Amino acid sequence: RDFRQHCKILIAVGDCATMGGIPALRNNIPLSECLQEAYIDGPTVHNPAGTIPNDPDLPLLLDRVYPVNEVVKIDYFLPGCPPSADTIWQTLVALLNDKPVDLPYELVKYD
């Protein structure tokens, strides 16, 4: 939200930003179950205290993973994990030259 307030143009870069990506797979599982599995019950977890981290310096996890356009207005979306260098380059060159961002299909397809 802070970026949106201070930017003329805001670009969502990558699948996690554009649609939640792999982290969004947890959206169908209650957050408490995710934390329990990650910090207490996971097969490779060594946590003798059996506690889930709650340091105030750690960012709070939300109830679900949101793509950024559900939180703020996004002007351009660059899909990919990560987007190709050519996709990023062509987008930046177009914006810097005050041209429309018109990416060819080859740069935004992921077969």
Side-chain angles (χ1 to χ4, degrees), residues 1-80:
R1 290 180 182 140
D2 191 43
F3 272 105
R4 180 74 269 175
Q5 287 179 328
H6 295 95
C7 293
K8 180 179 175 185
I9 296 173
L10 190 58
I11 304 171
V13 178
D15 289 344
C16 289
T18 61
M19 62 184 167
I22 290 175
L25 292 173
R26 82 156 173 89
N27 283 349
N28 295 322
I29 303 168
L31 181 56
S32 60
E33 285 184 38
C34 291
L35 294 171
Q36 182 79 20
E37 181 68 19
Y39 294 106
I40 297 173
D41 297 334
T44 60
V45 172
H46 178 72
N47 182 357
T51 59
I52 295 172
N54 64 353
D55 188 288
D57 288 335
L58 293 174
L60 294 176
L61 292 177
L62 301 176
D63 60 327
R64 60 184 283 268
V65 174
Y66 295 88
V68 293
N69 66 301
E70 288 186 22
V71 179
V72 297
K73 178 186 175 285
I74 298 296
D75 301 297
Y76 298 97
F77 296 85
L78 300 182

Side-chain angles (χ1 to χ4, degrees), residues 79 83-84 86-87 90 102-111:
S84 72
D86 288 338
T87 301
Q90 284 197 25
D102 186 23
L103 299 172
Y105 178 72
E106 294 76 31
L107 290 181
V108 293
K109 74 170 177 71
Y110 294 92
D111 298 342

